[in-house]
Amino acid sequence: MRDPYTVLGVARSASEAEIKSAFRKLAKKYHPDANGDDAGASARFNEANQAYEILGDKEKRGQFDRGEIDADGKPKFQGFSGFGGGSGAGGSSPFGSGTSSGGSFDFRNGADFAGADSIFGDFFDQTFGGKRGARSGFNAARNTPAKGEDINATLKVRLEDVVSDAKVEAIFPNGKRLAIRLPEGVEDGQVIRLRGQGQPAVFAGGPAGDALVTISFADHSRFSVSGRDLLLEQDVDLETAVLGGRVTIETLDGRVATKIQPWTTSGRTLRLRGKGLTRKDGGRGDILVTLSIALPAEPMPELVAMFEKRRDGLGDA
């Protein structure tokens, strides 16, 4: 894969918020639901998600920046330190100058070249899990069985599922069903990779592919989403707005009673801390409740009379 910073279009000094914002824009632009059968958009969408898997994770981002993992999140081989002299006529080449002096390999000498192949054989046997004496060296890497194909599914989740510890079920086009637990701070459009849950390898001994689950937040009847906060409009009866009192708010995981100050006007916003969506750090966002004064369902004669008297009095003045 390309450099994840290039994929998301951000600088290496970008903040977490800038990285998240760039990912959201790309995910929205190239989401499969919005691009039909456009294979190019699907590829860009998967590429953006893979880049965010690295840059959206503080630990993985640090490993990538230090050169410990590559753009696919796989460990990098750090070089053949100790091979050759590392100095002299060979310069910085790991194999020296191409002569037999100073411990370097002489690729013109059959015996020395065989020794080099033996060392490469040991290295590739260890790296690719081979056994000494069987398919050693570059041959082992070349003959490693191909990985099975990945499978994809889009999973609609309720906001209640995001804050719950319960598993949700993803159903794939091939009929496969997987129960998964959503990670803390899961975002709309995020792709969850379930390694080894895809199609089996074509040839025996090969690793299975992965299952890629795209998370899509279902619309909620009461809440709208703003980052990790939830926005809610709440009616308040006229009596409570004038005299003050308590209003019961239905949150994603239960009811909460909050106090309303006397003489509260429409448009005032209350904050219910820790009742929003989960964050990656284990905490939760808030619910922002905007109050709206609601008149009684039926006219109240005494209330109407009071305001008529007040209006007539002001008219006489």
Side-chain angles (χ1 to χ4, degrees):
M1 194 188 81
R2 294 187 296 155
D3 184 299
Y5 289 101
T6 302
V7 172
L8 296 185
V10 297
R12 288 184 172 271
S13 58
S15 65
E16 291 182 11
E18 290 172 331
I19 289 172
K20 181 182 293 186
S21 176
F23 163 70
R24 283 179 175 171
K25 290 179 181 177
L26 290 174
K28 184 177 181 180
K29 181 177 180 180
Y30 294 110
H31 196 283
D33 289 349
N35 292 278
D37 297 327
D38 186 346
S42 179
R44 289 293 306 275
F45 179 76
N46 289 334
E47 186 180 44
N49 274 290
Q50 193 167 349
Y52 188 65
E53 276 191 24
I54 293 176
L55 300 188
D57 185 295
K58 187 175 181 180
E59 182 177 350
K60 287 183 180 179
R61 182 183 181 185
Q63 291 175 330
F64 178 79
D65 289 344
R66 293 190 297 271
E68 297 172 4
I69 59 174
D70 61 18
D72 292 314
K74 297 177 181 178
K76 278 187 175 181
F77 177 60
Q78 299 297 319
F80 296 88
S81 60
F83 281 39
S87 61
S92 60
S93 167
F95 305 109
S97 63
T99 69
S100 58
S101 62
S104 300
F105 296 115
D106 186 350
F107 287 95
R108 296 166 296 179
N109 183 299
D112 283 345
F113 185 76
D117 185 54
S118 176
I119 292 175
F120 274 117
D122 290 343
F123 163 66
F124 275 93
D125 283 346
Q126 294 171 20
T127 303
F128 295 98
K131 296 181 180 180
R132 297 194 62 174
R135 296 190 304 169
S136 61
F138 289 105
N139 216 26
R142 183 184 63 194
N143 293 329
T144 299
K147 176 183 173 183
E149 290 186 4
D150 295 340
I151 57 177
N152 297 269
T154 297
L155 176 60
K156 283 272 189 184
V157 297
R158 304 173 307 152
L159 298 184
E160 287 83 357
D161 297 325
V162 176
V163 302
S164 171
D165 288 332
K167 291 184 177 181
V168 291
E169 186 177 57
I171 304 176
F172 292 82
N174 63 358
K176 183 170 185 175
R177 296 170 178 261
L178 289 175
I180 64 174
R181 180 169 283 111
L182 299 176
E184 297 281 7
V186 65
E187 298 188 22
D188 190 22
Q190 182 176 340
V191 174
I192 299 175
R193 181 182 294 271
L194 305 175
R195 300 194 182 278
Q197 295 295 329
Q199 298 286 15
V202 177
F203 300 104
D210 301 334
L212 304 177
V213 182
T214 301
I215 301 301
S216 177
F217 288 178
D219 292 335
H220 199 277
S221 60
R222 291 179 293 114
F223 295 108
S224 57
V225 179
S226 176
R228 307 316 291 173
D229 293 335
L230 299 175
L231 309 182
L232 171 67
E233 291 189 3
Q234 177 75 28
D235 286 342
V236 178
D237 64 80
L238 184 60
E239 180 180 332
T240 303
V242 173
L243 302 179
R246 290 190 173 274
V247 173
T248 299
I249 308 295
E250 194 77 40
T251 71
L252 293 177
D253 41 11
R255 294 181 176 180
V256 173
T258 185
K259 188 175 181 180
I260 303 296
Q261 296 296 324
W263 212 251
T264 292
T265 59
S266 285
R268 182 178 177 183
T269 299
L270 304 178
R271 182 182 294 270
L272 302 181
R273 298 190 180 279
K275 293 297 181 179
L277 301 181
T278 56
R279 300 195 304 256
K280 288 185 178 180
D281 62 5
R284 288 179 63 172
D286 305 329
I287 294 180
L288 304 179
V289 184
T290 300
L291 302 178
S292 179
I293 308 305
L295 292 175
E298 298 291 336
M300 298 176 62
E302 64 274 23
L303 189 61
V304 172
M306 181 187 73
F307 279 108
E308 286 178 342
K309 182 178 180 180
R310 176 178 172 79
R311 181 180 60 188
D312 292 343
L314 291 174
D316 292 341

PDB file of all heavy atoms in Angstrom, residues 237-264:
ATOM      1  N   ASP A 237     -42.607  21.218  29.440  1.00  0.00           N
ATOM      2  CA  ASP A 237     -43.921  21.840  29.592  1.00  0.00           C
ATOM      3  C   ASP A 237     -43.779  23.239  30.174  1.00  0.00           C
ATOM      4  O   ASP A 237     -42.774  23.568  30.830  1.00  0.00           O
ATOM      5  CB  ASP A 237     -44.840  20.972  30.455  1.00  0.00           C
ATOM      6  CG  ASP A 237     -44.338  20.822  31.878  1.00  0.00           C
ATOM      7  OD1 ASP A 237     -44.534  21.742  32.695  1.00  0.00           O
ATOM      8  OD2 ASP A 237     -43.700  19.773  32.164  1.00  0.00           O
ATOM      9  N   LEU A 238     -44.781  24.069  29.942  1.00  0.00           N
ATOM     10  CA  LEU A 238     -44.723  25.479  30.315  1.00  0.00           C
ATOM     11  C   LEU A 238     -44.564  25.661  31.815  1.00  0.00           C
ATOM     12  O   LEU A 238     -43.799  26.515  32.273  1.00  0.00           O
ATOM     13  CB  LEU A 238     -45.995  26.181  29.827  1.00  0.00           C
ATOM     14  CG  LEU A 238     -46.069  27.690  30.053  1.00  0.00           C
ATOM     15  CD1 LEU A 238     -44.923  28.387  29.325  1.00  0.00           C
ATOM     16  CD2 LEU A 238     -47.413  28.235  29.564  1.00  0.00           C
ATOM     17  N   GLU A 239     -45.253  24.843  32.584  1.00  0.00           N
ATOM     18  CA  GLU A 239     -45.169  24.973  34.047  1.00  0.00           C
ATOM     19  C   GLU A 239     -43.748  24.742  34.554  1.00  0.00           C
ATOM     20  O   GLU A 239     -43.229  25.503  35.371  1.00  0.00           O
ATOM     21  CB  GLU A 239     -46.120  23.971  34.705  1.00  0.00           C
ATOM     22  CG  GLU A 239     -46.108  24.019  36.234  1.00  0.00           C
ATOM     23  CD  GLU A 239     -47.066  23.009  36.844  1.00  0.00           C
ATOM     24  OE1 GLU A 239     -48.065  22.660  36.201  1.00  0.00           O
ATOM     25  OE2 GLU A 239     -46.785  22.557  37.979  1.00  0.00           O
ATOM     26  N   THR A 240     -43.101  23.676  34.041  1.00  0.00           N
ATOM     27  CA  THR A 240     -41.722  23.388  34.466  1.00  0.00           C
ATOM     28  C   THR A 240     -40.776  24.486  34.007  1.00  0.00           C
ATOM     29  O   THR A 240     -39.841  24.859  34.729  1.00  0.00           O
ATOM     30  CB  THR A 240     -41.264  22.029  33.907  1.00  0.00           C
ATOM     31  OG1 THR A 240     -42.170  21.012  34.346  1.00  0.00           O
ATOM     32  CG2 THR A 240     -39.855  21.693  34.378  1.00  0.00           C
ATOM     33  N   ALA A 241     -41.001  25.013  32.804  1.00  0.00           N
ATOM     34  CA  ALA A 241     -40.144  26.076  32.295  1.00  0.00           C
ATOM     35  C   ALA A 241     -40.252  27.328  33.163  1.00  0.00           C
ATOM     36  O   ALA A 241     -39.246  28.023  33.412  1.00  0.00           O
ATOM     37  CB  ALA A 241     -40.512  26.403  30.858  1.00  0.00           C
ATOM     38  N   VAL A 242     -41.453  27.614  33.677  1.00  0.00           N
ATOM     39  CA  VAL A 242     -41.656  28.823  34.489  1.00  0.00           C
ATOM     40  C   VAL A 242     -41.204  28.611  35.930  1.00  0.00           C
ATOM     41  O   VAL A 242     -40.486  29.433  36.517  1.00  0.00           O
ATOM     42  CB  VAL A 242     -43.144  29.249  34.446  1.00  0.00           C
ATOM     43  CG1 VAL A 242     -43.388  30.403  35.427  1.00  0.00           C
ATOM     44  CG2 VAL A 242     -43.522  29.668  33.038  1.00  0.00           C
ATOM     45  N   LEU A 243     -41.601  27.497  36.510  1.00  0.00           N
ATOM     46  CA  LEU A 243     -41.345  27.267  37.932  1.00  0.00           C
ATOM     47  C   LEU A 243     -40.070  26.467  38.219  1.00  0.00           C
ATOM     48  O   LEU A 243     -39.596  26.439  39.355  1.00  0.00           O
ATOM     49  CB  LEU A 243     -42.532  26.528  38.555  1.00  0.00           C
ATOM     50  CG  LEU A 243     -43.896  27.224  38.437  1.00  0.00           C
ATOM     51  CD1 LEU A 243     -44.984  26.364  39.066  1.00  0.00           C
ATOM     52  CD2 LEU A 243     -43.848  28.607  39.086  1.00  0.00           C
ATOM     53  N   GLY A 244     -39.527  25.806  37.195  1.00  0.00           N
ATOM     54  CA  GLY A 244     -38.379  24.931  37.428  1.00  0.00           C
ATOM     55  C   GLY A 244     -38.859  23.542  37.817  1.00  0.00           C
ATOM     56  O   GLY A 244     -40.014  23.338  38.164  1.00  0.00           O
ATOM     57  N   GLY A 245     -37.980  22.586  37.762  1.00  0.00           N
ATOM     58  CA  GLY A 245     -38.346  21.211  38.119  1.00  0.00           C
ATOM     59  C   GLY A 245     -37.397  20.220  37.466  1.00  0.00           C
ATOM     60  O   GLY A 245     -36.286  20.574  37.070  1.00  0.00           O
ATOM     61  N   ARG A 246     -37.840  18.985  37.340  1.00  0.00           N
ATOM     62  CA  ARG A 246     -37.004  17.938  36.762  1.00  0.00           C
ATOM     63  C   ARG A 246     -37.605  17.417  35.461  1.00  0.00           C
ATOM     64  O   ARG A 246     -38.820  17.295  35.338  1.00  0.00           O
ATOM     65  CB  ARG A 246     -36.818  16.781  37.752  1.00  0.00           C
ATOM     66  CG  ARG A 246     -35.936  17.149  38.937  1.00  0.00           C
ATOM     67  CD  ARG A 246     -35.582  15.942  39.768  1.00  0.00           C
ATOM     68  NE  ARG A 246     -34.608  16.293  40.797  1.00  0.00           N
ATOM     69  CZ  ARG A 246     -33.291  16.317  40.618  1.00  0.00           C
ATOM     70  NH1 ARG A 246     -32.810  15.980  39.428  1.00  0.00           N
ATOM     71  NH2 ARG A 246     -32.473  16.637  41.588  1.00  0.00           N
ATOM     72  N   VAL A 247     -36.730  17.124  34.539  1.00  0.00           N
ATOM     73  CA  VAL A 247     -37.132  16.561  33.254  1.00  0.00           C
ATOM     74  C   VAL A 247     -36.408  15.236  33.076  1.00  0.00           C
ATOM     75  O   VAL A 247     -35.197  15.137  33.344  1.00  0.00           O
ATOM     76  CB  VAL A 247     -36.771  17.512  32.087  1.00  0.00           C
ATOM     77  CG1 VAL A 247     -37.038  16.843  30.742  1.00  0.00           C
ATOM     78  CG2 VAL A 247     -37.571  18.800  32.199  1.00  0.00           C
ATOM     79  N   THR A 248     -37.122  14.215  32.643  1.00  0.00           N
ATOM     80  CA  THR A 248     -36.523  12.895  32.429  1.00  0.00           C
ATOM     81  C   THR A 248     -36.058  12.770  30.978  1.00  0.00           C
ATOM     82  O   THR A 248     -36.838  12.985  30.045  1.00  0.00           O
ATOM     83  CB  THR A 248     -37.525  11.775  32.748  1.00  0.00           C
ATOM     84  OG1 THR A 248     -37.918  11.869  34.126  1.00  0.00           O
ATOM     85  CG2 THR A 248     -36.897  10.411  32.506  1.00  0.00           C
ATOM     86  N   ILE A 249     -34.769  12.429  30.812  1.00  0.00           N
ATOM     87  CA  ILE A 249     -34.176  12.259  29.490  1.00  0.00           C
ATOM     88  C   ILE A 249     -33.938  10.776  29.244  1.00  0.00           C
ATOM     89  O   ILE A 249     -33.342  10.083  30.070  1.00  0.00           O
ATOM     90  CB  ILE A 249     -32.836  13.021  29.371  1.00  0.00           C
ATOM     91  CG1 ILE A 249     -33.002  14.484  29.803  1.00  0.00           C
ATOM     92  CG2 ILE A 249     -32.287  12.904  27.950  1.00  0.00           C
ATOM     93  CD1 ILE A 249     -33.896  15.293  28.924  1.00  0.00           C
ATOM     94  N   GLU A 250     -34.392  10.288  28.094  1.00  0.00           N
ATOM     95  CA  GLU A 250     -34.167   8.892  27.712  1.00  0.00           C
ATOM     96  C   GLU A 250     -32.839   8.816  26.962  1.00  0.00           C
ATOM     97  O   GLU A 250     -32.714   9.270  25.831  1.00  0.00           O
ATOM     98  CB  GLU A 250     -35.300   8.402  26.816  1.00  0.00           C
ATOM     99  CG  GLU A 250     -35.350   6.907  26.645  1.00  0.00           C
ATOM    100  CD  GLU A 250     -35.927   6.195  27.857  1.00  0.00           C
ATOM    101  OE1 GLU A 250     -36.892   6.691  28.454  1.00  0.00           O
ATOM    102  OE2 GLU A 250     -35.380   5.125  28.206  1.00  0.00           O
ATOM    103  N   THR A 251     -31.803   8.242  27.595  1.00  0.00           N
ATOM    104  CA  THR A 251     -30.487   8.115  26.966  1.00  0.00           C
ATOM    105  C   THR A 251     -30.383   6.756  26.276  1.00  0.00           C
ATOM    106  O   THR A 251     -31.329   5.976  26.266  1.00  0.00           O
ATOM    107  CB  THR A 251     -29.362   8.263  28.005  1.00  0.00           C
ATOM    108  OG1 THR A 251     -29.329   7.104  28.844  1.00  0.00           O
ATOM    109  CG2 THR A 251     -29.567   9.502  28.864  1.00  0.00           C
ATOM    110  N   LEU A 252     -29.209   6.467  25.709  1.00  0.00           N
ATOM    111  CA  LEU A 252     -29.012   5.190  25.029  1.00  0.00           C
ATOM    112  C   LEU A 252     -29.008   4.007  25.984  1.00  0.00           C
ATOM    113  O   LEU A 252     -29.278   2.874  25.584  1.00  0.00           O
ATOM    114  CB  LEU A 252     -27.689   5.205  24.243  1.00  0.00           C
ATOM    115  CG  LEU A 252     -27.615   6.153  23.057  1.00  0.00           C
ATOM    116  CD1 LEU A 252     -26.226   6.086  22.438  1.00  0.00           C
ATOM    117  CD2 LEU A 252     -28.678   5.828  22.017  1.00  0.00           C
ATOM    118  N   ASP A 253     -28.684   4.250  27.237  1.00  0.00           N
ATOM    119  CA  ASP A 253     -28.616   3.146  28.198  1.00  0.00           C
ATOM    120  C   ASP A 253     -29.368   3.443  29.493  1.00  0.00           C
ATOM    121  O   ASP A 253     -28.909   3.131  30.579  1.00  0.00           O
ATOM    122  CB  ASP A 253     -27.147   2.791  28.508  1.00  0.00           C
ATOM    123  CG  ASP A 253     -26.255   4.005  28.664  1.00  0.00           C
ATOM    124  OD1 ASP A 253     -26.791   5.131  28.745  1.00  0.00           O
ATOM    125  OD2 ASP A 253     -25.034   3.841  28.695  1.00  0.00           O
ATOM    126  N   GLY A 254     -30.532   4.060  29.358  1.00  0.00           N
ATOM    127  CA  GLY A 254     -31.367   4.274  30.539  1.00  0.00           C
ATOM    128  C   GLY A 254     -31.851   5.704  30.660  1.00  0.00           C
ATOM    129  O   GLY A 254     -31.446   6.596  29.905  1.00  0.00           O
ATOM    130  N   ARG A 255     -32.735   5.910  31.628  1.00  0.00           N
ATOM    131  CA  ARG A 255     -33.307   7.234  31.866  1.00  0.00           C
ATOM    132  C   ARG A 255     -32.472   8.016  32.871  1.00  0.00           C
ATOM    133  O   ARG A 255     -31.933   7.459  33.823  1.00  0.00           O
ATOM    134  CB  ARG A 255     -34.740   7.110  32.380  1.00  0.00           C
ATOM    135  CG  ARG A 255     -35.701   6.521  31.367  1.00  0.00           C
ATOM    136  CD  ARG A 255     -37.107   6.451  31.940  1.00  0.00           C
ATOM    137  NE  ARG A 255     -38.057   5.971  30.942  1.00  0.00           N
ATOM    138  CZ  ARG A 255     -39.358   5.822  31.175  1.00  0.00           C
ATOM    139  NH1 ARG A 255     -39.845   6.109  32.385  1.00  0.00           N
ATOM    140  NH2 ARG A 255     -40.155   5.391  30.218  1.00  0.00           N
ATOM    141  N   VAL A 256     -32.400   9.328  32.632  1.00  0.00           N
ATOM    142  CA  VAL A 256     -31.679  10.227  33.533  1.00  0.00           C
ATOM    143  C   VAL A 256     -32.569  11.434  33.815  1.00  0.00           C
ATOM    144  O   VAL A 256     -33.133  12.023  32.880  1.00  0.00           O
ATOM    145  CB  VAL A 256     -30.340  10.703  32.910  1.00  0.00           C
ATOM    146  CG1 VAL A 256     -29.697  11.772  33.782  1.00  0.00           C
ATOM    147  CG2 VAL A 256     -29.394   9.535  32.721  1.00  0.00           C
ATOM    148  N   ALA A 257     -32.714  11.794  35.084  1.00  0.00           N
ATOM    149  CA  ALA A 257     -33.490  12.976  35.468  1.00  0.00           C
ATOM    150  C   ALA A 257     -32.533  14.150  35.646  1.00  0.00           C
ATOM    151  O   ALA A 257     -31.509  14.042  36.324  1.00  0.00           O
ATOM    152  CB  ALA A 257     -34.262  12.717  36.754  1.00  0.00           C
ATOM    153  N   THR A 258     -32.847  15.269  35.014  1.00  0.00           N
ATOM    154  CA  THR A 258     -31.998  16.453  35.134  1.00  0.00           C
ATOM    155  C   THR A 258     -32.849  17.638  35.585  1.00  0.00           C
ATOM    156  O   THR A 258     -34.045  17.713  35.286  1.00  0.00           O
ATOM    157  CB  THR A 258     -31.298  16.760  33.797  1.00  0.00           C
ATOM    158  OG1 THR A 258     -30.389  17.843  33.968  1.00  0.00           O
ATOM    159  CG2 THR A 258     -32.298  17.121  32.707  1.00  0.00           C
ATOM    160  N   LYS A 259     -32.220  18.571  36.296  1.00  0.00           N
ATOM    161  CA  LYS A 259     -32.937  19.700  36.882  1.00  0.00           C
ATOM    162  C   LYS A 259     -33.025  20.864  35.903  1.00  0.00           C
ATOM    163  O   LYS A 259     -32.048  21.210  35.240  1.00  0.00           O
ATOM    164  CB  LYS A 259     -32.238  20.146  38.164  1.00  0.00           C
ATOM    165  CG  LYS A 259     -32.999  21.190  38.963  1.00  0.00           C
ATOM    166  CD  LYS A 259     -32.281  21.485  40.271  1.00  0.00           C
ATOM    167  CE  LYS A 259     -33.060  22.512  41.089  1.00  0.00           C
ATOM    168  NZ  LYS A 259     -32.375  22.824  42.368  1.00  0.00           N
ATOM    169  N   ILE A 260     -34.211  21.462  35.825  1.00  0.00           N
ATOM    170  CA  ILE A 260     -34.442  22.648  35.002  1.00  0.00           C
ATOM    171  C   ILE A 260     -34.605  23.854  35.923  1.00  0.00           C
ATOM    172  O   ILE A 260     -35.406  23.824  36.865  1.00  0.00           O
ATOM    173  CB  ILE A 260     -35.719  22.479  34.131  1.00  0.00           C
ATOM    174  CG1 ILE A 260     -35.611  21.240  33.255  1.00  0.00           C
ATOM    175  CG2 ILE A 260     -35.950  23.726  33.289  1.00  0.00           C
ATOM    176  CD1 ILE A 260     -34.518  21.297  32.255  1.00  0.00           C
ATOM    177  N   GLN A 261     -33.853  24.906  35.660  1.00  0.00           N
ATOM    178  CA  GLN A 261     -33.951  26.112  36.472  1.00  0.00           C
ATOM    179  C   GLN A 261     -35.246  26.863  36.166  1.00  0.00           C
ATOM    180  O   GLN A 261     -35.770  26.791  35.050  1.00  0.00           O
ATOM    181  CB  GLN A 261     -32.758  27.033  36.204  1.00  0.00           C
ATOM    182  CG  GLN A 261     -31.410  26.446  36.596  1.00  0.00           C
ATOM    183  CD  GLN A 261     -31.323  26.201  38.095  1.00  0.00           C
ATOM    184  OE1 GLN A 261     -31.850  26.971  38.906  1.00  0.00           O
ATOM    185  NE2 GLN A 261     -30.655  25.107  38.464  1.00  0.00           N
ATOM    186  N   PRO A 262     -35.812  27.597  37.171  1.00  0.00           N
ATOM    187  CA  PRO A 262     -37.014  28.395  36.917  1.00  0.00           C
ATOM    188  C   PRO A 262     -36.780  29.415  35.794  1.00  0.00           C
ATOM    189  O   PRO A 262     -35.678  29.903  35.599  1.00  0.00           O
ATOM    190  CB  PRO A 262     -37.259  29.099  38.259  1.00  0.00           C
ATOM    191  CG  PRO A 262     -36.591  28.230  39.274  1.00  0.00           C
ATOM    192  CD  PRO A 262     -35.388  27.677  38.578  1.00  0.00           C
ATOM    193  N   TRP A 263     -37.829  29.681  35.077  1.00  0.00           N
ATOM    194  CA  TRP A 263     -37.837  30.668  33.998  1.00  0.00           C
ATOM    195  C   TRP A 263     -36.810  30.312  32.912  1.00  0.00           C
ATOM    196  O   TRP A 263     -36.016  31.118  32.456  1.00  0.00           O
ATOM    197  CB  TRP A 263     -37.583  32.074  34.536  1.00  0.00           C
ATOM    198  CG  TRP A 263     -38.304  33.133  33.739  1.00  0.00           C
ATOM    199  CD1 TRP A 263     -37.738  34.038  32.898  1.00  0.00           C
ATOM    200  CD2 TRP A 263     -39.706  33.368  33.706  1.00  0.00           C
ATOM    201  NE1 TRP A 263     -38.707  34.821  32.329  1.00  0.00           N
ATOM    202  CE2 TRP A 263     -39.945  34.435  32.816  1.00  0.00           C
ATOM    203  CE3 TRP A 263     -40.816  32.771  34.321  1.00  0.00           C
ATOM    204  CZ2 TRP A 263     -41.207  34.920  32.534  1.00  0.00           C
ATOM    205  CZ3 TRP A 263     -42.071  33.261  34.052  1.00  0.00           C
ATOM    206  CH2 TRP A 263     -42.256  34.326  33.166  1.00  0.00           C
ATOM    207  N   THR A 264     -36.866  29.066  32.484  1.00  0.00           N
ATOM    208  CA  THR A 264     -35.987  28.572  31.419  1.00  0.00           C
ATOM    209  C   THR A 264     -36.635  28.836  30.070  1.00  0.00           C
ATOM    210  O   THR A 264     -37.812  28.512  29.859  1.00  0.00           O
ATOM    211  CB  THR A 264     -35.729  27.064  31.589  1.00  0.00           C
ATOM    212  OG1 THR A 264     -34.950  26.851  32.762  1.00  0.00           O
ATOM    213  CG2 THR A 264     -34.954  26.516  30.398  1.00  0.00           C
TER     214      THR A 264
END
